PDB file of all heavy atoms in Angstrom:
ATOM      1  N   LEU G  12     -16.678  29.668 -12.964  1.00  0.00           N
ATOM      2  CA  LEU G  12     -16.508  29.025 -14.216  1.00  0.00           C
ATOM      3  C   LEU G  12     -15.141  28.341 -14.370  1.00  0.00           C
ATOM      4  O   LEU G  12     -15.017  27.224 -14.930  1.00  0.00           O
ATOM      5  CB  LEU G  12     -16.668  30.126 -15.405  1.00  0.00           C
ATOM      6  CG  LEU G  12     -16.740  29.613 -16.796  1.00  0.00           C
ATOM      7  CD1 LEU G  12     -17.963  28.659 -16.981  1.00  0.00           C
ATOM      8  CD2 LEU G  12     -16.894  30.729 -17.700  1.00  0.00           C
ATOM      9  N   VAL G  13     -14.112  29.005 -13.802  1.00  0.00           N
ATOM     10  CA  VAL G  13     -12.824  28.327 -13.725  1.00  0.00           C
ATOM     11  C   VAL G  13     -12.877  27.058 -12.971  1.00  0.00           C
ATOM     12  O   VAL G  13     -12.236  26.073 -13.394  1.00  0.00           O
ATOM     13  CB  VAL G  13     -11.711  29.368 -13.164  1.00  0.00           C
ATOM     14  CG1 VAL G  13     -10.436  28.701 -12.918  1.00  0.00           C
ATOM     15  CG2 VAL G  13     -11.723  30.611 -13.917  1.00  0.00           C
ATOM     16  N   THR G  14     -13.509  27.090 -11.835  1.00  0.00           N
ATOM     17  CA  THR G  14     -13.620  25.847 -11.051  1.00  0.00           C
ATOM     18  C   THR G  14     -14.393  24.708 -11.861  1.00  0.00           C
ATOM     19  O   THR G  14     -13.886  23.559 -11.736  1.00  0.00           O
ATOM     20  CB  THR G  14     -14.296  26.132  -9.712  1.00  0.00           C
ATOM     21  OG1 THR G  14     -13.521  27.209  -8.986  1.00  0.00           O
ATOM     22  CG2 THR G  14     -14.436  24.910  -8.839  1.00  0.00           C
ATOM     23  N   VAL G  15     -15.494  25.130 -12.395  1.00  0.00           N
ATOM     24  CA  VAL G  15     -16.246  23.966 -13.150  1.00  0.00           C
ATOM     25  C   VAL G  15     -15.471  23.492 -14.218  1.00  0.00           C
ATOM     26  O   VAL G  15     -15.436  22.315 -14.510  1.00  0.00           O
ATOM     27  CB  VAL G  15     -17.605  24.618 -13.584  1.00  0.00           C
ATOM     28  CG1 VAL G  15     -18.309  23.704 -14.494  1.00  0.00           C
ATOM     29  CG2 VAL G  15     -18.501  25.010 -12.500  1.00  0.00           C
ATOM     30  N   LYS G  16     -14.712  24.318 -14.957  1.00  0.00           N
ATOM     31  CA  LYS G  16     -13.900  23.789 -16.127  1.00  0.00           C
ATOM     32  C   LYS G  16     -12.885  22.975 -15.583  1.00  0.00           C
ATOM     33  O   LYS G  16     -12.675  21.755 -16.124  1.00  0.00           O
ATOM     34  CB  LYS G  16     -13.265  25.040 -16.847  1.00  0.00           C
ATOM     35  CG  LYS G  16     -12.462  24.741 -18.066  1.00  0.00           C
ATOM     36  CD  LYS G  16     -10.962  24.389 -17.763  1.00  0.00           C
ATOM     37  CE  LYS G  16     -10.339  25.593 -17.069  1.00  0.00           C
ATOM     38  NZ  LYS G  16      -8.914  25.299 -16.726  1.00  0.00           N
ATOM     39  N   SER G  17     -12.174  23.258 -14.518  1.00  0.00           N
ATOM     40  CA  SER G  17     -11.145  22.391 -13.966  1.00  0.00           C
ATOM     41  C   SER G  17     -11.748  21.087 -13.471  1.00  0.00           C
ATOM     42  O   SER G  17     -11.159  19.915 -13.782  1.00  0.00           O
ATOM     43  CB  SER G  17     -10.544  22.992 -12.765  1.00  0.00           C
ATOM     44  OG  SER G  17      -9.723  24.122 -13.142  1.00  0.00           O
ATOM     45  N   ARG G  18     -12.950  21.059 -12.889  1.00  0.00           N
ATOM     46  CA  ARG G  18     -13.557  19.795 -12.465  1.00  0.00           C
ATOM     47  C   ARG G  18     -13.917  18.952 -13.709  1.00  0.00           C
ATOM     48  O   ARG G  18     -13.888  17.654 -13.651  1.00  0.00           O
ATOM     49  CB  ARG G  18     -14.794  20.092 -11.603  1.00  0.00           C
ATOM     50  CG  ARG G  18     -14.393  20.558 -10.239  1.00  0.00           C
ATOM     51  CD  ARG G  18     -15.492  20.748  -9.308  1.00  0.00           C
ATOM     52  NE  ARG G  18     -15.038  21.271  -8.094  1.00  0.00           N
ATOM     53  CZ  ARG G  18     -15.693  21.816  -7.152  1.00  0.00           C
ATOM     54  NH1 ARG G  18     -17.060  22.056  -7.319  1.00  0.00           N
ATOM     55  NH2 ARG G  18     -15.220  22.180  -5.998  1.00  0.00           N
ATOM     56  N   GLU G  19     -14.342  19.608 -14.747  1.00  0.00           N
ATOM     57  CA  GLU G  19     -14.688  18.793 -15.979  1.00  0.00           C
ATOM     58  C   GLU G  19     -13.466  18.132 -16.579  1.00  0.00           C
ATOM     59  O   GLU G  19     -13.548  17.036 -16.981  1.00  0.00           O
ATOM     60  CB  GLU G  19     -15.338  19.713 -17.047  1.00  0.00           C
ATOM     61  CG  GLU G  19     -16.865  20.103 -16.670  1.00  0.00           C
ATOM     62  CD  GLU G  19     -17.759  18.840 -16.528  1.00  0.00           C
ATOM     63  OE1 GLU G  19     -17.638  17.849 -17.356  1.00  0.00           O
ATOM     64  OE2 GLU G  19     -18.539  18.853 -15.595  1.00  0.00           O
ATOM     65  N   VAL G  20     -12.296  18.811 -16.547  1.00  0.00           N
ATOM     66  CA  VAL G  20     -11.047  18.249 -17.022  1.00  0.00           C
ATOM     67  C   VAL G  20     -10.729  16.991 -16.083  1.00  0.00           C
ATOM     68  O   VAL G  20     -10.450  15.884 -16.628  1.00  0.00           O
ATOM     69  CB  VAL G  20      -9.881  19.155 -17.032  1.00  0.00           C
ATOM     70  CG1 VAL G  20      -8.543  18.574 -17.303  1.00  0.00           C
ATOM     71  CG2 VAL G  20     -10.122  20.224 -18.070  1.00  0.00           C
ATOM     72  N   GLN G  21     -10.888  17.188 -14.772  1.00  0.00           N
ATOM     73  CA  GLN G  21     -10.602  16.055 -13.910  1.00  0.00           C
ATOM     74  C   GLN G  21     -11.459  14.940 -14.094  1.00  0.00           C
ATOM     75  O   GLN G  21     -11.111  13.750 -14.129  1.00  0.00           O
ATOM     76  CB  GLN G  21     -10.720  16.545 -12.443  1.00  0.00           C
ATOM     77  CG  GLN G  21      -9.640  17.537 -12.001  1.00  0.00           C
ATOM     78  CD  GLN G  21      -9.874  18.195 -10.630  1.00  0.00           C
ATOM     79  OE1 GLN G  21     -11.114  18.098 -10.140  1.00  0.00           O
ATOM     80  NE2 GLN G  21      -8.889  18.670 -10.025  1.00  0.00           N
ATOM     81  N   ARG G  22     -12.836  15.201 -14.333  1.00  0.00           N
ATOM     82  CA  ARG G  22     -13.764  14.116 -14.516  1.00  0.00           C
ATOM     83  C   ARG G  22     -13.504  13.366 -15.802  1.00  0.00           C
ATOM     84  O   ARG G  22     -13.618  12.226 -15.894  1.00  0.00           O
ATOM     85  CB  ARG G  22     -15.196  14.638 -14.510  1.00  0.00           C
ATOM     86  CG  ARG G  22     -15.667  15.164 -13.185  1.00  0.00           C
ATOM     87  CD  ARG G  22     -16.934  15.817 -13.128  1.00  0.00           C
ATOM     88  NE  ARG G  22     -17.982  14.790 -13.209  1.00  0.00           N
ATOM     89  CZ  ARG G  22     -19.275  15.025 -13.373  1.00  0.00           C
ATOM     90  NH1 ARG G  22     -19.669  16.318 -13.462  1.00  0.00           N
ATOM     91  NH2 ARG G  22     -20.090  14.072 -13.436  1.00  0.00           N
ATOM     92  N   GLY G  23     -13.037  14.204 -16.788  1.00  0.00           N
ATOM     93  CA  GLY G  23     -12.624  13.577 -18.110  1.00  0.00           C
ATOM     94  C   GLY G  23     -11.421  12.614 -17.850  1.00  0.00           C
ATOM     95  O   GLY G  23     -11.399  11.497 -18.459  1.00  0.00           O
ATOM     96  N   MET G  24     -10.474  13.088 -17.168  1.00  0.00           N
ATOM     97  CA  MET G  24      -9.263  12.216 -16.872  1.00  0.00           C
ATOM     98  C   MET G  24      -9.601  10.937 -16.081  1.00  0.00           C
ATOM     99  O   MET G  24      -9.103   9.917 -16.434  1.00  0.00           O
ATOM    100  CB  MET G  24      -8.171  13.077 -16.100  1.00  0.00           C
ATOM    101  CG  MET G  24      -7.594  14.214 -17.012  1.00  0.00           C
ATOM    102  SD  MET G  24      -6.595  15.319 -16.046  1.00  0.00           S
ATOM    103  CE  MET G  24      -5.157  14.253 -15.665  1.00  0.00           C
ATOM    104  N   LEU G  25     -10.452  11.088 -15.049  1.00  0.00           N
ATOM    105  CA  LEU G  25     -10.830   9.926 -14.374  1.00  0.00           C
ATOM    106  C   LEU G  25     -11.596   8.975 -15.169  1.00  0.00           C
ATOM    107  O   LEU G  25     -11.476   7.759 -15.126  1.00  0.00           O
ATOM    108  CB  LEU G  25     -11.749  10.395 -13.116  1.00  0.00           C
ATOM    109  CG  LEU G  25     -10.971  11.040 -11.989  1.00  0.00           C
ATOM    110  CD1 LEU G  25     -11.928  11.632 -10.946  1.00  0.00           C
ATOM    111  CD2 LEU G  25     -10.002  10.068 -11.293  1.00  0.00           C
ATOM    112  N   ALA G  26     -12.478   9.493 -16.113  1.00  0.00           N
ATOM    113  CA  ALA G  26     -13.201   8.553 -16.924  1.00  0.00           C
ATOM    114  C   ALA G  26     -12.326   7.822 -17.942  1.00  0.00           C
ATOM    115  O   ALA G  26     -12.428   6.585 -18.187  1.00  0.00           O
ATOM    116  CB  ALA G  26     -14.184   9.363 -17.771  1.00  0.00           C
ATOM    117  N   GLU G  27     -11.289   8.578 -18.435  1.00  0.00           N
ATOM    118  CA  GLU G  27     -10.279   7.984 -19.275  1.00  0.00           C
ATOM    119  C   GLU G  27      -9.537   6.810 -18.496  1.00  0.00           C
ATOM    120  O   GLU G  27      -9.352   5.763 -19.028  1.00  0.00           O
ATOM    121  CB  GLU G  27      -9.175   9.025 -19.660  1.00  0.00           C
ATOM    122  CG  GLU G  27      -9.162   9.343 -21.021  1.00  0.00           C
ATOM    123  CD  GLU G  27      -8.038  10.328 -21.477  1.00  0.00           C
ATOM    124  OE1 GLU G  27      -7.458  11.018 -20.586  1.00  0.00           O
ATOM    125  OE2 GLU G  27      -7.935  10.606 -22.605  1.00  0.00           O
ATOM    126  N   MET G  28      -9.097   7.170 -17.377  1.00  0.00           N
ATOM    127  CA  MET G  28      -8.406   6.054 -16.510  1.00  0.00           C
ATOM    128  C   MET G  28      -9.347   4.980 -16.214  1.00  0.00           C
ATOM    129  O   MET G  28      -8.760   3.768 -15.996  1.00  0.00           O
ATOM    130  CB  MET G  28      -7.872   6.756 -15.247  1.00  0.00           C
ATOM    131  CG  MET G  28      -6.694   7.717 -15.465  1.00  0.00           C
ATOM    132  SD  MET G  28      -5.972   8.197 -13.954  1.00  0.00           S
ATOM    133  CE  MET G  28      -7.089   9.531 -13.405  1.00  0.00           C
ATOM    134  N   ARG G  31     -13.686   4.604 -19.672  1.00  0.00           N
ATOM    135  CA  ARG G  31     -15.075   4.928 -19.962  1.00  0.00           C
ATOM    136  C   ARG G  31     -14.946   6.074 -20.985  1.00  0.00           C
ATOM    137  O   ARG G  31     -15.116   7.209 -20.759  1.00  0.00           O
ATOM    138  CB  ARG G  31     -15.782   5.418 -18.690  1.00  0.00           C
ATOM    139  CG  ARG G  31     -15.976   4.313 -17.696  1.00  0.00           C
ATOM    140  CD  ARG G  31     -16.858   4.799 -16.515  1.00  0.00           C
ATOM    141  NE  ARG G  31     -16.727   6.120 -16.072  1.00  0.00           N
ATOM    142  CZ  ARG G  31     -15.931   6.650 -15.189  1.00  0.00           C
ATOM    143  NH1 ARG G  31     -15.025   5.749 -14.610  1.00  0.00           N
ATOM    144  NH2 ARG G  31     -15.924   7.833 -14.763  1.00  0.00           N
ATOM    145  N   ASP G  34     -17.819   8.803 -21.423  1.00  0.00           N
ATOM    146  CA  ASP G  34     -17.925   9.746 -20.342  1.00  0.00           C
ATOM    147  C   ASP G  34     -16.729  10.623 -20.515  1.00  0.00           C
ATOM    148  O   ASP G  34     -16.926  11.862 -20.258  1.00  0.00           O
ATOM    149  CB  ASP G  34     -17.844   9.014 -19.010  1.00  0.00           C
ATOM    150  CG  ASP G  34     -19.138   8.364 -18.669  1.00  0.00           C
ATOM    151  OD1 ASP G  34     -20.174   8.565 -19.243  1.00  0.00           O
ATOM    152  OD2 ASP G  34     -19.035   7.405 -17.723  1.00  0.00           O
ATOM    153  N   ALA G  35     -15.590  10.146 -20.858  1.00  0.00           N
ATOM    154  CA  ALA G  35     -14.383  11.055 -20.993  1.00  0.00           C
ATOM    155  C   ALA G  35     -14.639  12.092 -22.095  1.00  0.00           C
ATOM    156  O   ALA G  35     -14.447  13.299 -21.887  1.00  0.00           O
ATOM    157  CB  ALA G  35     -13.130  10.247 -21.248  1.00  0.00           C
ATOM    158  N   ARG G  36     -15.168  11.695 -23.116  1.00  0.00           N
ATOM    159  CA  ARG G  36     -15.545  12.565 -24.281  1.00  0.00           C
ATOM    160  C   ARG G  36     -16.459  13.752 -23.840  1.00  0.00           C
ATOM    161  O   ARG G  36     -16.200  14.867 -24.092  1.00  0.00           O
ATOM    162  CB  ARG G  36     -16.100  11.774 -25.531  1.00  0.00           C
ATOM    163  CG  ARG G  36     -16.467  12.677 -26.617  1.00  0.00           C
ATOM    164  CD  ARG G  36     -16.905  11.921 -27.874  1.00  0.00           C
ATOM    165  NE  ARG G  36     -17.557  12.736 -28.859  1.00  0.00           N
ATOM    166  CZ  ARG G  36     -17.016  13.577 -29.739  1.00  0.00           C
ATOM    167  NH1 ARG G  36     -15.772  13.653 -29.623  1.00  0.00           N
ATOM    168  NH2 ARG G  36     -17.663  14.203 -30.554  1.00  0.00           N
ATOM    169  N   LYS G  37     -17.523  13.302 -23.125  1.00  0.00           N
ATOM    170  CA  LYS G  37     -18.467  14.234 -22.704  1.00  0.00           C
ATOM    171  C   LYS G  37     -17.864  15.351 -21.835  1.00  0.00           C
ATOM    172  O   LYS G  37     -18.084  16.545 -21.968  1.00  0.00           O
ATOM    173  CB  LYS G  37     -19.600  13.496 -21.919  1.00  0.00           C
ATOM    174  CG  LYS G  37     -20.561  14.308 -21.238  1.00  0.00           C
ATOM    175  CD  LYS G  37     -21.636  13.578 -20.522  1.00  0.00           C
ATOM    176  CE  LYS G  37     -21.033  12.748 -19.349  1.00  0.00           C
ATOM    177  NZ  LYS G  37     -21.941  12.079 -18.498  1.00  0.00           N
ATOM    178  N   HIS G  38     -17.056  14.886 -20.828  1.00  0.00           N
ATOM    179  CA  HIS G  38     -16.402  15.856 -19.944  1.00  0.00           C
ATOM    180  C   HIS G  38     -15.382  16.749 -20.639  1.00  0.00           C
ATOM    181  O   HIS G  38     -15.259  17.914 -20.355  1.00  0.00           O
ATOM    182  CB  HIS G  38     -15.789  15.127 -18.719  1.00  0.00           C
ATOM    183  CG  HIS G  38     -16.888  14.517 -17.846  1.00  0.00           C
ATOM    184  ND1 HIS G  38     -17.829  15.195 -17.191  1.00  0.00           N
ATOM    185  CD2 HIS G  38     -17.142  13.168 -17.617  1.00  0.00           C
ATOM    186  CE1 HIS G  38     -18.593  14.419 -16.552  1.00  0.00           C
ATOM    187  NE2 HIS G  38     -18.226  13.209 -16.842  1.00  0.00           N
ATOM    188  N   TYR G  39     -14.584  16.200 -21.534  1.00  0.00           N
ATOM    189  CA  TYR G  39     -13.569  16.944 -22.238  1.00  0.00           C
ATOM    190  C   TYR G  39     -14.226  17.964 -23.106  1.00  0.00           C
ATOM    191  O   TYR G  39     -13.731  19.015 -23.283  1.00  0.00           O
ATOM    192  CB  TYR G  39     -12.625  16.122 -23.094  1.00  0.00           C
ATOM    193  CG  TYR G  39     -11.546  15.415 -22.205  1.00  0.00           C
ATOM    194  CD1 TYR G  39     -11.342  14.028 -22.307  1.00  0.00           C
ATOM    195  CD2 TYR G  39     -10.891  16.105 -21.291  1.00  0.00           C
ATOM    196  CE1 TYR G  39     -10.343  13.440 -21.502  1.00  0.00           C
ATOM    197  CE2 TYR G  39      -9.878  15.456 -20.459  1.00  0.00           C
ATOM    198  CZ  TYR G  39      -9.695  14.121 -20.620  1.00  0.00           C
ATOM    199  OH  TYR G  39      -8.699  13.398 -19.892  1.00  0.00           O
ATOM    200  N   LEU G  40     -15.339  17.630 -23.720  1.00  0.00           N
ATOM    201  CA  LEU G  40     -16.035  18.576 -24.593  1.00  0.00           C
ATOM    202  C   LEU G  40     -16.696  19.757 -23.778  1.00  0.00           C
ATOM    203  O   LEU G  40     -16.635  20.838 -24.221  1.00  0.00           O
ATOM    204  CB  LEU G  40     -17.190  17.850 -25.440  1.00  0.00           C
ATOM    205  CG  LEU G  40     -16.773  17.022 -26.572  1.00  0.00           C
ATOM    206  CD1 LEU G  40     -17.902  16.265 -27.190  1.00  0.00           C
ATOM    207  CD2 LEU G  40     -15.943  17.887 -27.628  1.00  0.00           C
ATOM    208  N   ALA G  41     -17.219  19.406 -22.625  1.00  0.00           N
ATOM    209  CA  ALA G  41     -17.704  20.350 -21.661  1.00  0.00           C
ATOM    210  C   ALA G  41     -16.508  21.309 -21.254  1.00  0.00           C
ATOM    211  O   ALA G  41     -16.718  22.606 -21.324  1.00  0.00           O
ATOM    212  CB  ALA G  41     -18.289  19.777 -20.503  1.00  0.00           C
ATOM    213  N   ALA G  42     -15.431  20.734 -20.930  1.00  0.00           N
ATOM    214  CA  ALA G  42     -14.262  21.541 -20.510  1.00  0.00           C
ATOM    215  C   ALA G  42     -13.728  22.507 -21.718  1.00  0.00           C
ATOM    216  O   ALA G  42     -13.445  23.656 -21.465  1.00  0.00           O
ATOM    217  CB  ALA G  42     -13.126  20.673 -20.066  1.00  0.00           C
ATOM    218  N   ALA G  43     -13.749  21.925 -22.888  1.00  0.00           N
ATOM    219  CA  ALA G  43     -13.289  22.649 -24.082  1.00  0.00           C
ATOM    220  C   ALA G  43     -14.204  23.907 -24.285  1.00  0.00           C
ATOM    221  O   ALA G  43     -13.632  25.087 -24.453  1.00  0.00           O
ATOM    222  CB  ALA G  43     -13.307  21.821 -25.284  1.00  0.00           C
ATOM    223  N   HIS G  44     -15.489  23.683 -24.139  1.00  0.00           N
ATOM    224  CA  HIS G  44     -16.386  24.817 -24.407  1.00  0.00           C
ATOM    225  C   HIS G  44     -16.266  25.850 -23.330  1.00  0.00           C
ATOM    226  O   HIS G  44     -16.422  27.048 -23.518  1.00  0.00           O
ATOM    227  CB  HIS G  44     -17.818  24.354 -24.684  1.00  0.00           C
ATOM    228  CG  HIS G  44     -17.961  23.591 -26.043  1.00  0.00           C
ATOM    229  ND1 HIS G  44     -18.141  24.304 -27.190  1.00  0.00           N
ATOM    230  CD2 HIS G  44     -18.118  22.328 -26.211  1.00  0.00           C
ATOM    231  CE1 HIS G  44     -18.208  23.432 -28.133  1.00  0.00           C
ATOM    232  NE2 HIS G  44     -18.163  22.223 -27.653  1.00  0.00           N
ATOM    233  N   LEU G  45     -16.163  25.399 -22.087  1.00  0.00           N
ATOM    234  CA  LEU G  45     -15.948  26.348 -20.988  1.00  0.00           C
ATOM    235  C   LEU G  45     -14.681  27.061 -21.111  1.00  0.00           C
ATOM    236  O   LEU G  45     -14.665  28.272 -20.841  1.00  0.00           O
ATOM    237  CB  LEU G  45     -16.078  25.583 -19.594  1.00  0.00           C
ATOM    238  CG  LEU G  45     -17.359  24.995 -19.246  1.00  0.00           C
ATOM    239  CD1 LEU G  45     -17.145  24.036 -18.051  1.00  0.00           C
ATOM    240  CD2 LEU G  45     -18.302  26.108 -18.811  1.00  0.00           C
ATOM    241  N   GLU G  46     -13.670  26.413 -21.584  1.00  0.00           N
ATOM    242  CA  GLU G  46     -12.325  27.082 -21.787  1.00  0.00           C
ATOM    243  C   GLU G  46     -12.535  28.137 -22.798  1.00  0.00           C
ATOM    244  O   GLU G  46     -11.918  29.286 -22.780  1.00  0.00           O
ATOM    245  CB  GLU G  46     -11.211  26.107 -22.183  1.00  0.00           C
ATOM    246  CG  GLU G  46      -9.918  26.598 -22.038  1.00  0.00           C
ATOM    247  CD  GLU G  46      -9.499  26.849 -20.571  1.00  0.00           C
ATOM    248  OE1 GLU G  46      -9.023  25.837 -19.981  1.00  0.00           O
ATOM    249  OE2 GLU G  46      -9.520  28.019 -20.180  1.00  0.00           O
ATOM    250  N   LEU G  49     -14.018  31.041 -21.204  1.00  0.00           N
ATOM    251  CA  LEU G  49     -13.056  31.741 -20.335  1.00  0.00           C
ATOM    252  C   LEU G  49     -12.029  32.499 -21.222  1.00  0.00           C
ATOM    253  O   LEU G  49     -11.666  33.654 -20.762  1.00  0.00           O
ATOM    254  CB  LEU G  49     -12.384  30.724 -19.477  1.00  0.00           C
ATOM    255  CG  LEU G  49     -13.151  30.227 -18.280  1.00  0.00           C
ATOM    256  CD1 LEU G  49     -12.448  29.002 -17.701  1.00  0.00           C
ATOM    257  CD2 LEU G  49     -13.239  31.245 -17.200  1.00  0.00           C
ATOM    258  N   GLY G  65      -5.860  29.849 -22.594  1.00  0.00           N
ATOM    259  CA  GLY G  65      -7.288  29.255 -22.564  1.00  0.00           C
ATOM    260  C   GLY G  65      -7.652  28.573 -23.884  1.00  0.00           C
ATOM    261  O   GLY G  65      -8.164  27.488 -23.897  1.00  0.00           O
ATOM    262  N   ILE G  67      -5.411  27.332 -26.078  1.00  0.00           N
ATOM    263  CA  ILE G  67      -4.581  26.250 -26.075  1.00  0.00           C
ATOM    264  C   ILE G  67      -5.265  25.020 -25.323  1.00  0.00           C
ATOM    265  O   ILE G  67      -5.252  23.927 -25.828  1.00  0.00           O
ATOM    266  CB  ILE G  67      -3.118  26.480 -25.661  1.00  0.00           C
ATOM    267  CG1 ILE G  67      -2.388  27.498 -26.680  1.00  0.00           C
ATOM    268  CG2 ILE G  67      -2.303  25.113 -25.559  1.00  0.00           C
ATOM    269  CD1 ILE G  67      -1.131  28.049 -26.107  1.00  0.00           C
ATOM    270  N   SER G  68      -5.655  25.339 -24.127  1.00  0.00           N
ATOM    271  CA  SER G  68      -6.341  24.394 -23.330  1.00  0.00           C
ATOM    272  C   SER G  68      -7.504  23.842 -23.945  1.00  0.00           C
ATOM    273  O   SER G  68      -7.833  22.592 -23.890  1.00  0.00           O
ATOM    274  CB  SER G  68      -6.598  24.979 -21.913  1.00  0.00           C
ATOM    275  OG  SER G  68      -7.235  24.081 -21.129  1.00  0.00           O
ATOM    276  N   ALA G  69      -8.299  24.701 -24.634  1.00  0.00           N
ATOM    277  CA  ALA G  69      -9.543  24.256 -25.275  1.00  0.00           C
ATOM    278  C   ALA G  69      -9.147  23.253 -26.464  1.00  0.00           C
ATOM    279  O   ALA G  69      -9.844  22.208 -26.546  1.00  0.00           O
ATOM    280  CB  ALA G  69     -10.300  25.392 -25.859  1.00  0.00           C
ATOM    281  N   ALA G  70      -8.152  23.574 -27.209  1.00  0.00           N
ATOM    282  CA  ALA G  70      -7.684  22.681 -28.268  1.00  0.00           C
ATOM    283  C   ALA G  70      -7.284  21.353 -27.663  1.00  0.00           C
ATOM    284  O   ALA G  70      -7.695  20.291 -28.216  1.00  0.00           O
ATOM    285  CB  ALA G  70      -6.578  23.351 -29.048  1.00  0.00           C
ATOM    286  N   SER G  71      -6.500  21.396 -26.565  1.00  0.00           N
ATOM    287  CA  SER G  71      -6.147  20.173 -26.023  1.00  0.00           C
ATOM    288  C   SER G  71      -7.293  19.199 -25.479  1.00  0.00           C
ATOM    289  O   SER G  71      -7.405  18.104 -25.737  1.00  0.00           O
ATOM    290  CB  SER G  71      -5.286  20.442 -24.732  1.00  0.00           C
ATOM    291  OG  SER G  71      -5.014  19.237 -24.002  1.00  0.00           O
ATOM    292  N   CYS G  72      -8.419  19.944 -24.929  1.00  0.00           N
ATOM    293  CA  CYS G  72      -9.541  19.283 -24.636  1.00  0.00           C
ATOM    294  C   CYS G  72     -10.340  18.552 -25.781  1.00  0.00           C
ATOM    295  O   CYS G  72     -10.860  17.533 -25.803  1.00  0.00           O
ATOM    296  CB  CYS G  72     -10.508  20.130 -23.826  1.00  0.00           C
ATOM    297  SG  CYS G  72      -9.897  20.565 -22.127  1.00  0.00           S
ATOM    298  N   PHE G  73     -10.396  19.455 -26.855  1.00  0.00           N
ATOM    299  CA  PHE G  73     -11.019  18.844 -28.038  1.00  0.00           C
ATOM    300  C   PHE G  73     -10.275  17.668 -28.576  1.00  0.00           C
ATOM    301  O   PHE G  73     -10.787  16.662 -28.941  1.00  0.00           O
ATOM    302  CB  PHE G  73     -11.115  19.858 -29.159  1.00  0.00           C
ATOM    303  CG  PHE G  73     -12.313  20.895 -29.005  1.00  0.00           C
ATOM    304  CD1 PHE G  73     -12.100  22.223 -28.852  1.00  0.00           C
ATOM    305  CD2 PHE G  73     -13.590  20.456 -28.925  1.00  0.00           C
ATOM    306  CE1 PHE G  73     -13.086  23.092 -28.709  1.00  0.00           C
ATOM    307  CE2 PHE G  73     -14.575  21.325 -28.889  1.00  0.00           C
ATOM    308  CZ  PHE G  73     -14.365  22.607 -28.705  1.00  0.00           C
ATOM    309  N   ARG G  75      -8.360  15.540 -26.799  1.00  0.00           N
ATOM    310  CA  ARG G  75      -8.600  14.472 -25.943  1.00  0.00           C
ATOM    311  C   ARG G  75      -9.977  13.949 -25.993  1.00  0.00           C
ATOM    312  O   ARG G  75     -10.296  12.707 -25.781  1.00  0.00           O
ATOM    313  CB  ARG G  75      -8.297  14.785 -24.481  1.00  0.00           C
ATOM    314  CG  ARG G  75      -6.843  15.059 -24.235  1.00  0.00           C
ATOM    315  CD  ARG G  75      -6.458  15.354 -22.887  1.00  0.00           C
ATOM    316  NE  ARG G  75      -6.366  14.035 -22.183  1.00  0.00           N
ATOM    317  CZ  ARG G  75      -5.727  13.829 -21.022  1.00  0.00           C
ATOM    318  NH1 ARG G  75      -5.209  15.031 -20.400  1.00  0.00           N
ATOM    319  NH2 ARG G  75      -5.635  12.723 -20.478  1.00  0.00           N
TER     320      ARG G  75
END
Side-chain angles (χ1 to χ4, degrees):
L12 191 59
V13 172
T14 300
V15 171
K16 183 268 305 178
S17 296
R18 287 184 180 163
E19 286 301 316
V20 171
Q21 289 173 344
R22 291 175 78 187
M24 292 172 68
L25 288 172
E27 244 180 354
M28 289 186 282
R31 298 187 324 272
D34 289 341
R36 177 176 167 75
K37 171 180 66 176
H38 293 298
Y39 284 132
L40 287 174
H44 288 285
L45 290 168
E46 196 68 84
L49 284 167
I67 293 168
S68 179
S71 175
C72 288
F73 280 119
R75 292 185 84 163

